[in-house]
């Protein structure tokens, strides 16, 4: 039974305003760095056999912060381009408000399995799911059935992995929320995957103050999904 921890990168200065996609030089801002440090502290004593990251800067910085927080179980960060952001093609670098007026935007929301983003570098969302799930399966085989490892990736990529584990059609994955620097967990067994945690941001719900904080965190997640066009109307 292999345990996979899926972490979305932390916030960037462009979060919620621009679809940065695979643009270079998009690193964490102060909020994102604090998110990564906090998550690293939460996971410091969790045994990990590997830390794998997207090749993009914001994920590399998040993964590095998680690795730096570890105490006795030091793990080197490895890169895998199959966990990189969706190739948004001509949409890359565009303001989200402008993209929301495009006819393709509604298709992305309602029928993402049919979408290929425009331009020579545009990727299909079905292709994203295929390469991300294939990467997970390969890492599972490489590390073995008793391994636990962490993957730092992007909203739509993580959502596609979770949807596959839940047996959901890709057209339903807009229903999955993956906030910046959230933690999701999947246990893979020979029979089937089990999703045991989704979108854990460390918010405790129960008191009035905590509930209000959770609401604000969710709204920030909806506004802040700059690198995932599918979920919440602004990205996943």
């Amino acid at each position: 039974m292999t345990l996979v921890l899926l972490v979305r990168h932390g916030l960037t200065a462009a979060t919620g305003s621009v679809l940065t996609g695979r643009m270079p030089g998009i690193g964490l801002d102060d909020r994102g760095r604090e998110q990564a440090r906090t998550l690293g502290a939460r996971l410091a004593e969790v045994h990990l056999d590997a830390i794998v990251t997207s090749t993009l800067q914001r994920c590399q910085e998040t993964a590095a912060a998680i690795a730096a927080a570890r105490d006795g179980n030091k793990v080197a960060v490895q890169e895998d381009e199959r966990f990189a952001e969706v190739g948004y093609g001509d949409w890359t670098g565009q303001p989200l408000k402008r993209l929301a007026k495009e006819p393709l935007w509604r298709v992305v929301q309602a029928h993402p399995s049919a979408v290929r983003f425009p331009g020579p570098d545009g990727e299909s969302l079905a292709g994203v799911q295929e390469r991300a799930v294939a990467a997970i399966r390969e890492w599972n085989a490489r590390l073995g059935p008793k391994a636990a490892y962490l993957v730092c990736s992007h909203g739509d990529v993580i959502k596609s992995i979770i949807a596959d584990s839940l047996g959901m059609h890709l057209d339903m994955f807009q229903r999955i929320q993956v906030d910046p620097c959230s933690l999701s967990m999947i246990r893979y067994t020979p029979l089937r995957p089990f999703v045991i945690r989704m979108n854990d941001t460390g918010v405790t719900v129960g008191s009035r103050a905590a509930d209000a904080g959770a609401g604000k965190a969710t709204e920030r997640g909806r506004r802040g999904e700059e690198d995932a066009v599918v979920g919440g109307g602004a990205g996943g």
Side-chain angles (χ1 to χ4, degrees):
M1 296 185 293
T2 306
L3 183 64
V4 181
L5 286 68
L6 300 171
V7 172
R8 184 182 170 191
H9 64 80
L11 289 162
T12 76
T15 295
S17 59
V18 176
L19 185 66
T20 53
R22 295 181 180 178
M23 292 172 58
I26 306 296
L28 302 180
D29 63 10
D30 289 342
R31 302 167 300 165
R33 285 187 285 272
E34 180 58 29
Q35 286 178 321
R37 284 193 294 267
T38 300
L39 181 56
R42 290 177 60 199
L43 298 176
E45 296 184 2
V46 176
H47 175 81
L48 294 175
D49 294 287
I51 296 176
V52 188
T53 181
S54 157
T55 52
L56 294 174
Q57 181 179 337
R58 54 193 181 273
C59 283
Q60 292 173 336
E61 292 176 352
T62 303
I66 293 171
R70 306 194 62 73
D71 297 325
N73 178 220
K74 296 293 184 180
V75 182
V77 177
Q78 304 177 66
E79 295 182 7
D80 190 329
E81 62 183 5
R82 293 173 296 179
F83 294 122
E85 181 56 291
V86 178
Y88 291 119
D90 293 347
W91 280 24
T92 303
Q94 297 296 315
L96 289 174
K97 288 183 178 179
R98 180 183 301 171
L99 293 175
K101 299 176 182 178
E102 294 284 341
L104 183 61
W105 182 275
R106 293 180 60 86
V107 183
V108 171
Q109 304 303 319
H111 194 24
S113 67
V115 168
R116 177 177 292 276
F117 291 97
D121 297 325
E123 190 175 15
S124 73
L125 288 170
V128 172
Q129 183 179 56
E130 182 179 3
R131 49 112 158 151
V133 171
I136 289 289
R137 296 290 185 179
E138 183 178 307
W139 278 99
N140 288 353
R142 182 187 307 183
L143 296 173
K146 296 183 179 180
Y149 68 99
L150 183 146
V151 173
C152 186
S153 188
H154 306 266
D156 277 349
V157 180
I158 293 172
K159 288 172 63 178
S160 73
I161 295 169
I162 293 173
D164 172 78
S165 296
L166 291 171
M168 293 171 57
H169 194 282
L170 185 61
D171 284 347
M172 307 293 284
F173 91 147
Q174 304 95 320
R175 302 185 182 198
I176 300 171
Q177 183 83 13
V178 177
D179 291 329
C181 230
S182 63
L183 171 68
S184 300
M185 298 172 63
I186 303 171
R187 186 179 299 280
Y188 287 85
T189 74
L191 183 60
R192 64 173 69 91
F194 292 87
V195 177
I196 58 179
R197 182 169 299 191
M198 284 197 298
N199 199 39
D200 180 357
T201 58
V203 175
T204 301
V205 179
S207 68
R208 181 176 300 176
D211 289 346
K216 290 179 181 178
T218 299
E219 181 59 27
R220 284 196 302 270
R222 291 195 182 108
R223 294 197 310 266
E225 301 200 333
E226 84 292 347
D227 61 352
V229 176
V230 178

